[in-house]
Amino acid sequence: MAILTFLISLAGATMLLLYAVRMVRTGIERSYGASFQRLLTGRQSHLQAGMMGLTLAIVLQSSAAVALLASGFAASGYLAFPTGLAIVLGGDLGSALIIQILSFKLDWLVPMLLAAGGYLFVKTEAKKARQLGRILMGVAFILISLRFLREAMDPIRDSAFLPAIAGYLARDYITAFLVGGALAFVMHSSVAAILMCVTLVQIGALPFAAGLSLVLGANFGSAFIPVWLSRGMDLQARRIPYANLALRGTWAVICLFGANLALRQGWLGDPQGGQMLVSAHLAFNAALLLLALPLCTPLGGVFARLFPDPAAPPAQPPGRPVSALKQGSYGAPAQAVANLTRELLRMADLAGAMFRPVLELYESGSKEQIRAVQQMDAEVNACLAGIRQYVAAIPAEAFSKDQLKTARSLMEYAIRLETAGDVVARRLTVLAEEMRKKELRFSRDGWLEITRMHEAILANLQLASNVLISDDLESARLLSLEKTELKRMERDSRKRHLRRLQSGGRESFDTSDIHLETLRALREFNSHIAAVAYPVLYRNGQLLETRLIEDLPDQNDEGLEEPAR
């Protein structure tokens, strides 16, 4: 019975730990996710890239998340292999620093974190405040789960069961290594797995030698997580996780045999305690970063040969990508609606591809780059023409009233996407061309404000696609709230810009018209993108018909005389 109680308590504590780590990561991604591309893809040395990966791993509470981000940007051509690998290696060290912080007994912080986080998440409406509340509560849940884990071990600490397993793992360090690797991979979190091992050593449930082998195995197992999660990506994206696995696995095996030999010979003395285990974990990752950074560039050629780019397809005449719609062929109504949704997703991707390089065009865009973005608007227009033709020819007798209404609402969103493309092609790129011709530059504060709005809109583009696919009410509500948040950002930026003009800022004066017009264009683009949320909110009764007050008080009731005729 004691074993069953132990297993249930252990499972509960582990699940809470995994949930808490994910909760912290989700809060940070929702608040600052769009900033990561700018941080990761900036020009930097290998050491700077490693430090960037370290910082992001601490922020995201996950080295696997950093590896996936780097792989995704490498697949898109934004990130070179050596820089991406350096970022991932830095992320591993950042993950070790998280464990160092969380390994201290911080139970006294739990009530404060829960109180502050709960208030921000439940009682506030601002996006960043709510997500900060989510982050604080997640950290509190991590600390609670670690306390539960320690308490779960108390009933069997003195039993014959745990010491027997602990003694076996201490003697057979290869098995302990494999168990640690499997644990990290199954939990899909090296932070959670290693924190569990550290806690077991802290309370004396495991000897240090067994804990060290488990931790080294967890380091090896954690490198399989991004390999597994990136298995569906392009070959270019998968090179970085495999290179990280090769470096991390080789170093883990070397350290496993070396450390166990040193422990058995007494060369390391008699290390004890969870804090010593955390220090060993930190030293492992710091040494790996320092040793592997010089290898990032040479390994690029090796893994390019191991994962060669696929043969280029035969050249095709230039033209628009194949449409998801086959005019005149509808099939079942559900299939026709699915085809419309697929075409809308393609249209949204095209609008996003036009919008994504806007900041680059403002900063250093050439005439050819600006023209290339403007030419993409023709593809967006062609998508709308195809959708309009497809919906107009739908046989009304074969579709129900609701299905026809859905098809028309999708066409209305296509019109909004086409208008969003026009905002980029006819306003933002024209402003970028004006900046280029006059060799203008925004003030530092003005540029930062525009950058933050651009990042927020990129996040909203992804959220809008999710709403289009899932029809999820919660996502639609979040997108609507994000629209309100962007309106606030635009209003605040306009006020700050006017204050800079009053203070006599030369750069602000020269770019005043462009700055204000850019703010308006960004807000309008976002409004068109967010329109996908309206049908979902309306169907669920969460959208008002009007914001006007319908029943005005009778003026005579307020003591006002009726005007003379």
Side-chain angles (χ1 to χ4, degrees):
M1 190 64 185
I3 297 299
L4 181 60
T5 303
F6 161 70
L7 292 176
I8 293 173
S9 301
L10 181 63
T14 303
M15 289 301 105
L16 180 59
L17 180 59
L18 288 173
Y19 171 76
V21 170
R22 180 178 177 181
M23 189 175 180
V24 173
R25 184 167 67 247
T26 300
I28 293 170
E29 286 175 345
R30 288 185 178 179
S31 295
Y32 307 103
S35 303
F36 294 156
Q37 178 177 347
R38 179 167 54 89
L39 293 173
L40 286 175
T41 57
R43 296 177 181 176
Q44 48 199 341
S45 66
H46 290 174
L47 181 60
Q48 289 173 326
M51 293 302 102
M52 181 58 63
L54 182 152
T55 304
L56 288 177
I58 293 175
V59 169
L60 292 175
Q61 302 269 300
S62 171
S63 57
V66 175
L68 288 176
L69 280 172
S71 299
F73 290 136
S76 302
Y78 293 118
L79 202 60
F81 173 90
T83 305
L85 182 56
I87 288 172
V88 173
L89 292 169
D92 294 332
L93 180 56
S95 179
L97 287 172
I98 297 169
I99 294 166
Q100 172 68 76
I101 296 168
L102 295 176
S103 64
F104 296 122
K105 288 192 176 182
L106 301 172
D107 292 348
W108 56 274
L109 267 178
V110 170
M112 290 188 291
L113 291 172
L114 287 175
Y119 176 82
L120 290 172
F121 189 74
V122 175
K123 296 294 186 181
T124 60
E125 292 297 331
K127 172 194 170 184
K128 290 192 182 297
R130 282 176 57 83
Q131 298 309 322
L132 176 59
R134 182 191 295 271
I135 294 164
L136 294 177
M137 291 178 69
V139 174
F141 289 157
I142 290 175
L143 298 176
I144 291 171
S145 66
L146 294 177
R147 186 171 68 192
F148 283 173
L149 192 60
R150 290 192 295 268
E151 293 173 355
M153 295 294 172
D154 287 339
I156 66 164
R157 190 186 306 176
D158 300 325
S159 68
F161 170 72
L162 188 61
I165 293 180
Y168 176 75
L169 292 177
R171 292 190 302 273
D172 189 351
Y173 57 85
I174 294 178
T175 299
F177 180 82
L178 295 176
V179 168
L183 187 66
F185 182 77
V186 169
M187 295 176 75
H188 263 43
S189 172
S190 61
V191 172
I194 294 173
L195 278 173
M196 180 181 292
C197 296
V198 169
T199 302
L200 293 176
V201 172
Q202 278 179 335
I203 64 176
L206 277 179
F208 177 86
L212 180 60
S213 298
L214 284 169
V215 166
L216 290 171
N219 276 280
F220 184 37
S222 67
F224 280 96
I225 299 171
V227 169
W228 173 258
L229 295 177
S230 64
R231 65 190 184 281
M233 293 184 179
D234 295 338
L235 287 176
Q236 191 174 359
R238 292 159 59 193
R239 291 171 188 162
I240 292 176
Y242 272 101
N244 180 56
L245 174 62
L247 290 170
R248 199 167 180 75
T250 302
W251 185 235
V253 171
I254 292 172
C255 289
L256 174 71
F257 288 101
N260 279 277
L261 176 63
L263 285 171
R264 294 187 179 189
Q265 296 297 327
W267 297 339
L268 300 178
D270 186 24
Q272 298 291 333
Q275 190 55 49
M276 183 64 72
L277 186 60
V278 173
S279 300
H281 174 56
L282 246 162
F284 170 87
N285 284 279
L288 175 61
L289 178 63
L290 293 175
L291 291 172
L293 278 181
L295 301 176
C296 289
T297 299
L299 284 175
V302 174
F303 280 87
R305 288 191 293 272
L306 291 175
F307 297 90
D309 292 324
Q316 297 289 336
R320 181 166 60 93
V322 178
S323 171
L325 304 179
K326 188 175 180 181
Q327 301 295 339
S329 177
Y330 294 95
Q335 182 62 47
V337 171
N339 290 339
L340 279 170
T341 303
R342 286 172 54 204
E343 186 70 358
L344 271 175
L345 284 172
R346 189 170 75 92
M347 194 174 178
D349 287 342
L350 286 170
M354 293 178 65
F355 180 77
R356 197 168 288 111
V358 162
L359 291 186
E360 182 182 346
L361 298 183
Y362 269 68
E363 197 169 25
S364 58
S366 65
K367 188 175 182 179
E368 291 74 21
Q369 290 173 317
I370 292 172
R371 186 174 300 163
V373 171
Q374 291 172 336
Q375 289 172 349
M376 292 177 67
D377 191 44
E379 297 184 53
V380 178
N381 295 341
C383 284
L384 174 61
I387 290 173
R388 187 187 290 118
Q389 180 182 350
Y390 189 84
V391 174
I394 286 177
E397 66 279 359
F399 284 66
S400 69
K401 184 177 179 181
D402 288 341
Q403 288 165 340
L404 285 172
K405 187 175 180 180
T406 299
R408 287 168 186 149
S409 69
L410 292 175
M411 186 180 71
E412 289 175 2
Y413 186 55
I415 295 171
R416 300 296 291 265
L417 286 175
E418 192 273 338
T419 309
D422 288 344
V423 171
V424 177
R426 301 180 184 179
R427 292 171 61 185
L428 289 171
T429 54
V430 171
L431 294 171
E433 176 69 14
E434 186 176 348
M435 294 275 290
R436 185 189 69 82
K437 287 181 177 178
K438 296 181 178 179
E439 298 182 351
L440 298 175
R441 288 288 181 271
F442 289 116
S443 66
R444 181 179 176 276
D445 291 339
W447 180 245
L448 184 60
E449 291 162 10
I450 290 174
T451 300
R452 286 173 176 167
M453 287 186 66
H454 184 268
E455 291 172 350
I457 295 171
L458 286 178
N460 290 346
L461 273 166
Q462 183 62 48
L463 186 56
S465 295
N466 294 343
V467 173
L468 188 61
I469 295 170
S470 66
D471 229 24
D472 177 56
L473 175 60
E474 183 60 30
S475 298
R477 284 182 56 84
L478 180 59
L479 183 57
S480 182
L481 291 172
E482 290 298 319
K483 178 185 174 183
T484 304
E485 175 69 13
L486 197 98
K487 287 169 64 178
R488 184 196 61 78
M489 292 172 67
E490 186 257 350
R491 183 176 61 250
D492 291 347
S493 178
R494 188 171 63 247
K495 291 178 179 177
R496 285 192 290 266
H497 175 72
L498 295 176
R499 284 199 294 268
R500 288 194 294 271
L501 290 179
Q502 291 173 347
S503 65
R506 180 66 187 175
E507 288 178 323
S508 297
F509 185 82
D510 291 341
T511 60
S512 181
D513 289 342
I514 297 177
H515 184 98
L516 295 174
E517 181 60 30
T518 298
L519 295 179
R520 286 191 291 270
L522 292 176
R523 175 179 167 178
E524 183 177 341
F525 182 91
N526 186 73
S527 296
H528 293 308
I529 294 300
V532 72
Y534 298 154
V536 181
L537 295 173
Y538 187 78
R539 284 197 305 271
N540 289 273
Q542 300 201 23
L543 193 66
L544 297 175
E545 291 283 356
T546 177
R547 290 184 292 181
L548 291 173
I549 300 174
E550 294 184 359
D551 298 324
L552 291 174
D554 190 345
Q555 290 185 343
N556 289 326
D557 293 342
E558 301 295 327
L560 296 178
E561 296 181 0
E562 187 177 349
R565 296 182 182 272

